[in-house]
Structures are given as structure tokens and as C-alpha cells.
Amino acid sequence: MEEQALVIALVGVLGIGAQWVAWRTGWPAIVLMLAAGFLAGPVLGLFDPEHAFGELLEPMVAIGVALILFEGGLSLDLRELRHAGDAVWRLVLFGVPIGWLLGSFAGYYIAGLVWPVAILFAGILVVTGPTVVLPMLRQSNVQPRPAAVLKWEAIVNDPIGALCAVIAYEYFRMVAAAPDATVVDVVPPMIIAAILAAGIGYVAARFVAWSFPRGLIPEYLKVPVLLTMVIGVFVLSNKIEHEAGLVAVTVMGVALANMNVSSLRSIHPFKQNIAVLLVSGIFVLLSASLDYSELSYLNWRFGLFLLALLFLVRPLTILTSLLFSSVPWNERLFLAWIAPRGIVLVAISGLFALRLSDLGYADGEVLIGLSFAVVVATIVAHGFTVNLAARLLGVKGTSRPGLLIVGSTPWTIALAQEMQSLKTPVMIVDSSWQRLAPARRAGLPYYHGEILNEATEHNLDLSPFQVLVAATDNEAYNTLVCNEFAYEIGRDTVYQLGESADEADKHAIPASLRGRALFESGFGVADVNERQAKGWVFRKTKLSDEFDFDDAREVLPDEGHLLLLVRKGGTLRFFTHAMRPDPRPGDTIISFTPPKSRPAGETTRRPAGGEPGAQPA
């Protein structure tokens, strides 16, 4: 008991610690989790998962994989998929069978796996992994179309790869149980079991979609009920047929994602949290379960197999699937190169490695080591070359972080113009076409729609924007927007007008719901409007070794206020009531000041709608 508790605590520390280091450094989290588990297990011998959990390890991993696949299915909104074009459908309808076939040949003829293991492993290899692809795309700033194709290929193929593995395993399990059985004897029961499992998953999704909005489940029980239902559907479907539970939970997740259940929005933070915990735990447990005998299989034949995956299987799959499509050749070549594998590959491989060994296939024991090696090799190969490939093939997008501004007002329009002059991507969002008119006349990028509407998620690509500023005339609405997007963009990168009030003030909006307050003084909407009416302007000041931050503060008018600074690389750092960034030479400071004369070298921009600001001296 004490040993198991200690192992659970250690797994949590290693997994979440690796995720934190990845966040701080930008390194791939999956590689850090692999290193942490491998060091703690085979290298240092701190714990052995099989010894600690015994027969419980397999069902623990199985339920974890089921929850991960359900969470992945919840991400598959087919309405948003329609905007990615037909390239994703081609990669699903043609790419999956082509990649499965080519991967099977490579596994058998090059890696030397027996046919059942080669076929099952190739089915899992069709996944690319959103947990790896999405951070890679954010860091590389690929153009929207190829980025959307890679993103949705990863999301869609995640559950499909699991289904391919289930189909292969069930076929070989039935053949092993009845060696004299024909294809007709084996395939129809598989199809019937898959249909039954999918039906169970769909019925469970319909029940959730019917009961949650009607108040039959209280709010505090929705997450526990949903979690229990997923596990129940998984176990029940497995009773009907081995591993059919993976089909059921995948269908349940996809069905729920496309039933427009508004009540599910409140569980998104929990969904993300449980996914992080499960991914961290399973990855550390599986990597700690490795032993040197499994790694000894990674010889020169695997090296050739990996080269075949990188330079033959993936390119042939993509180029064949996209024949006669409208995707330009430079984008096809980019898609043909980028295919990092992630947690689903390792989790499913670890699950079926134990199953294949029970069926008598010795090569099944090496699947965990093989999958880890594929993950590390593809992440390193693609992660370190994605920027170079994007640049050489002309699919590189802007590398500067973008600013999303909610609310079209004279103040926000002037701010957007100031940011545009610094080459920062900017977008103004407002539900009023009339309020957007000045932004349209100024030639600023805009989105006409309600930012909180679910349809906006499918029509507005948020990936270029790493900072959000809510600056409408309604401070409560600004708070609502910040609270909604804090989970997607990050609590530390959503800002709003208005000072964070004292928590003891029962009339104030709680600070836990608000975004960070703009300006060190915490200007509110009324404060900004009042100063704008008096002709206040934006000023930008470039810092250098000779002209540092203290000099900039010296020339700032007494009534002026610092708003933000822009780093050389485009990173935005705001001055707030709670924190002040550390200015460096090369930074540009944006301030909001009265329209007085200014030192030479500064520039001003007056908020739209008033008298012109001061001109350069």
C-alpha cells in the first residue's frame, strides 16, 4: 500500500514536472516525460510499475487510454473540420489505408516484425498526435492552410489509429482462438461487435445531450457523471467484445462534440486537466516499465525502418492522397515531411503489447520500445526542422505574436494602428457592424461576430493571437470574455480595462474572474473615455543602451501612463496594477499620455475621433 502510494506520488511529480519544464523551456513535453520515466525506472531503479501495481497496471493503462481517446473525440467538431477543405478528408479516406499498408510492409520486410505485429503497429502509426503537432505549429507559425491540415489530420487520425489497432488485434485474436476459421467466420462478428460498441457509445452520448441541459444532473455532478459514464461504456463494451470499448468511447466523444450541448462548455477546463494528468501518468508509467532487453531490439534494422517511415511511408502516403487536389505542391511537400507521433501511439502500443504477448506473438513485447523510439525520432527530426522546411517551401507565416482586441472603440482602433506600425499582427472583434466601421475605414483586420458565440470558434482562427485585450464599454462583459478565454489563451495573457477591486467589496467583480488590469493605475472604461475626450495620444519610445528605461520614464509626462512594451521578437508585455515587465535595450514602450509636446525621436498616435496629436519635433 505504501509502495503504491509512493509510486503514484512519484509518477505525478515526474509527469507534471516534465510538463512544467516543457512550458518553461519550449522543449517537447513528451520527450521530457520519456526521459523522466526512463531515468526513474530502468536507469535509477526508483520504482517498477509492474512490481508496484501487478495485475492492476494493465486495467489502469486501458482506462487511461479510453479516457484519452474520449477526450480526443470531444475535440473533433465536424463543423470546424469543414473549413479545413478537402485535404483532410483525402488524408483520412485515402491516407489512412495507404499509410497502413505501406507501414505494414515496412514493419515486416525492414524491421523484421512478424505479420500480425507489423500490421497492428502500422495501424497505430497512422496517428500523428495533436499533443505534439499543435505546440509545434504554434512555435513555427506555419501559414493557416497547411497548419489547419496538419492540425485536423492529427485530431481525426488519433481515434482512427486506435480503431485500426482494435480491428487488427481482434482479427488476430479470433484467428489465434480458431486457427481453422475463414475470413467469413472472423470478419462479420468483428463488424457486428464494432457496430454494437459504436451504438452503446452513441446512446450514452445522446443521454448526456438530453439530460444535462434539462437539469436532470446537477452542475456539481456533471463531471463525475460523465467520467463514470465513459468508464462504464468502456467496460460494458469490452464485455461484449475484447477492446470494443475503445470504439465505444471514441464514438461517444465524437458524437458529443457534434451535438451542440451547451452544458459541456463548463467541463472543458476539467477535460483539459484530466487529459494532462492521464497523459503524464501513462507516459511515465510506460517509459518506467521499459527494460534493456526490449531496447536491445532497436538495432540497425529499426534504423532502416525509421528512415523508411520518414522518407518513404509518409511522403508516399501524402503525395498519393493529395493527387489531383487543389493543395499547392509546396504545401504537399511540407505535409509529406511533418508527421510527429505522440502519446496515443505510445499508450495504445503499451496496451496491445501486453495483449499480443498473451496471444503468443513474441514481437509484441518490443512494441513499447519501438513506439518510444518512433516518438522521439519523429519529434526530433520534425521539431528541429519544421521552421527550416516551412521557410524553404514558402509556407512560413508571421513569427510575431498577435494581439486580439475585443471591442471596436476609438481607443482600441488607435491601439491597433500603433501595434500594426510595430509589425504586430492584430485583429479587432466586435458584434456591431456600425462600431466596426472606423476600423474598416482604417484598413484594420476585423471580425464581425460575437466572440463568445460558439460559431466564432469555427470561423476565427485564434492560433496567431497569444494575447487578448477586452476593452469594450462594458467592464462586466470584458470580464466575461477574459474568463472564457483564460483557459484557451492563458490566464496571464488576457487583459481588460478596469482596476482589480478589493475582494472584500461585495459589489465588485471578483478578481478570480477578471483578466489582468491594463495600466499600472488600472484605468477603467470611463477613465479611458474621459482622457480620450481630452485628446490623449499613444506614444512609442525605443530603448537602447544609451537611452534606457529610466530615461524613458524621465521624459514621460507626469500624467502619462505606460501600457506595454514590445520585445525585439514581437513578444508583448503589459504594465498592469500587479506587475511590471523588465524593459531591455531594443524594446519599444507604448504609453498613453496627454497631447503635450514631446522629445524628438518619439512618435504619437491619437485615438480615432479627436484632434490630431503632436507632430515630430
Side-chain angles (χ1 to χ4, degrees):
M1 179 68 178
E2 291 182 1
E3 180 187 2
Q4 293 173 338
L6 182 61
V7 170
I8 292 173
L10 188 56
V11 168
V13 170
L14 291 175
I16 302 304
Q19 296 265 16
W20 182 83
V21 172
W23 169 71
R24 292 292 297 177
T25 62
W27 297 347
I30 197 167
V31 175
L32 294 174
M33 288 187 291
L34 165 61
F38 188 70
L39 286 173
V43 176
L44 300 178
L46 298 180
F47 66 92
D48 180 359
E50 293 184 2
H51 178 267
F53 298 107
E55 295 181 353
L56 285 176
L57 179 61
E58 185 177 336
M60 285 169 55
V61 172
I63 291 176
V65 171
L67 291 171
I68 289 173
L69 289 177
F70 171 74
E71 193 273 338
L74 279 178
S75 304
L76 183 51
D77 193 320
L78 298 177
R79 291 165 295 183
E80 186 174 347
L81 181 58
R82 287 196 293 267
H83 296 284
D86 67 341
V88 176
W89 293 111
R90 285 173 169 267
L91 294 182
V92 173
L93 297 176
F94 305 125
V96 168
I98 293 172
W100 195 358
L101 179 65
L102 294 176
S104 300
F105 282 123
Y108 180 75
Y109 288 107
I110 300 178
L113 301 173
V114 296
W115 270 119
V117 178
I119 292 173
L120 188 145
F121 191 52
I124 309 174
L125 284 175
V126 302
V127 307
T128 49
T131 56
V132 181
V133 170
L134 297 183
M136 184 179 294
L137 292 175
R138 281 195 294 267
Q139 293 173 8
S140 59
N141 295 293
V142 178
Q143 288 178 358
R145 181 165 54 185
V149 173
L150 285 174
K151 166 190 170 183
W152 283 105
E153 180 200 15
I155 292 175
V156 174
N157 282 357
D158 235 22
I160 289 179
L163 298 183
C164 291
V166 171
I167 291 170
Y169 171 77
E170 282 301 299
Y171 178 81
F172 292 119
R173 187 187 65 82
M174 291 183 177
V175 170
D180 297 330
T182 64
V183 174
V184 177
D185 297 326
V186 173
V187 174
M190 287 176 51
I191 296 175
I192 293 173
I195 293 175
L196 286 175
I200 292 173
Y202 182 78
V203 169
R206 292 296 304 179
F207 174 77
V208 171
W210 176 81
S211 61
F212 276 28
R214 287 170 171 77
L216 299 181
I217 309 295
E219 195 68 30
Y220 74 96
L221 281 181
K222 285 182 178 178
V223 169
V225 165
L226 187 60
L227 192 63
T228 304
M229 285 190 65
V230 173
I231 297 175
V233 165
F234 173 71
V235 174
L236 176 62
S237 301
N238 277 349
K239 291 294 183 181
I240 298 174
E241 189 64 53
H242 286 282
E243 309 315 326
L246 297 180
V247 178
V249 296
T250 302
V251 171
M252 181 180 176
V254 174
L256 268 178
N258 293 275
M259 287 181 180
N260 196 26
V261 183
S262 59
S263 300
L264 290 180
R265 292 180 67 89
S266 61
I267 74 165
H268 282 185
F270 175 82
K271 176 177 76 77
Q272 295 171 348
N273 293 337
I274 197 68
V276 170
L277 289 171
L278 288 171
V279 166
S280 303
I282 290 178
F283 214 90
V284 171
L285 282 174
L286 291 177
S287 58
S289 300
L290 289 171
D291 58 47
Y292 292 105
S293 63
E294 293 171 347
L295 297 179
S296 64
Y297 184 85
L298 305 181
N299 51 27
W300 64 269
R301 297 195 66 167
F302 173 74
L304 293 179
F305 172 71
L306 180 59
L307 291 175
L309 285 181
L310 293 175
F311 296 103
L312 290 177
V313 175
R314 174 68 178 183
L316 286 175
T317 299
I318 296 298
L319 297 179
T320 304
S321 303
L322 297 181
L323 278 177
F324 311 112
S325 72
S326 59
V327 180
W329 273 100
N330 63 328
E331 295 183 9
R332 297 187 202 185
L333 293 174
F334 180 75
L335 297 173
W337 172 241
I338 303 299
R341 269 63 172 192
I343 182 61
V344 172
L345 171 64
V346 174
I348 299 177
S349 297
L351 179 62
F352 283 110
L354 304 171
R355 306 285 200 270
L356 290 171
S357 298
D358 294 338
L359 295 181
Y361 299 114
D363 286 350
E365 298 177 355
V366 305
L367 278 190
I368 298 179
L370 279 174
S371 61
F372 273 120
V374 169
V375 165
V376 173
T378 54
I379 288 177
V380 171
H382 299 142
F384 285 101
T385 62
V386 60
N387 279 307
L388 177 62
R391 190 162 50 249
L392 292 177
L393 294 172
V395 296
K396 185 76 172 172
T398 176
S399 60
R400 298 177 71 86
L403 174 63
L404 185 67
I405 301 176
V406 180
S408 180
T409 67
W411 185 82
T412 59
I413 291 171
L415 174 61
Q417 291 174 316
E418 198 69 48
M419 302 312 297
Q420 265 199 337
S421 70
L422 294 172
K423 311 300 182 185
T424 296
V426 66
M427 173 80 71
I428 295 180
V429 181
D430 202 299
S431 59
S432 169
W433 186 252
Q434 183 178 3
R435 286 195 297 267
L436 281 171
R440 290 184 281 116
R441 288 195 296 268
L444 294 169
Y446 66 91
Y447 176 81
H448 179 220
E450 172 53 61
I451 189 68
L452 297 174
N453 194 312
E454 190 175 353
T456 301
E457 300 177 16
H458 313 308
N459 296 298
L460 177 61
D461 181 17
L462 296 177
S463 57
F465 306 105
Q466 298 182 11
V467 178
L468 178 144
V469 168
T472 70
D473 289 337
N474 188 324
E475 291 193 20
Y477 178 78
N478 295 339
T479 298
L480 181 62
V481 170
C482 288
N483 190 57
E484 178 72 18
F485 283 88
Y487 300 106
E488 184 165 352
I489 298 179
R491 176 68 65 180
D492 295 335
T493 52
V494 290
Y495 300 86
Q496 70 175 94
L497 288 172
E499 184 175 4
S500 181
D502 184 359
E503 289 288 346
D505 185 358
K506 65 179 182 179
H507 303 292
I509 298 175
S512 59
L513 301 179
R514 300 174 55 89
R516 291 182 177 269
L518 293 172
F519 298 105
E520 291 179 313
S521 58
F523 275 172
V525 173
D527 298 314
V528 168
N529 291 339
E530 178 184 350
R531 283 161 177 76
Q532 176 193 326
K534 295 178 180 178
W536 281 43
V537 295
F538 286 108
R539 302 183 190 274
K540 58 185 177 186
T541 307
K542 183 73 172 286
L543 302 183
S544 64
D545 292 324
E546 295 77 23
F547 189 83
D548 60 16
F549 181 63
D550 291 333
D551 297 324
R553 290 297 297 261
E554 189 70 25
V555 301
L556 183 72
D558 293 337
E559 301 90 345
H561 295 268
L562 300 173
L563 176 58
L564 77 153
L565 59 81
V566 184
R567 303 282 191 205
K568 285 183 179 179
T571 303
L572 307 178
R573 293 288 183 266
F574 283 80
F575 294 88
T576 73
H577 73 289
M579 63 174 292
R580 191 188 80 177
D582 180 27
R584 309 168 187 167
D587 293 347
T588 299
I589 294 179
I590 306 296
S591 56
F592 188 48
T593 68
K596 297 180 179 179
S597 60
R598 54 187 168 73
E602 285 191 349
T603 57
T604 67
R605 187 174 302 275
R606 185 176 187 346
E611 297 297 325
Q615 298 301 315

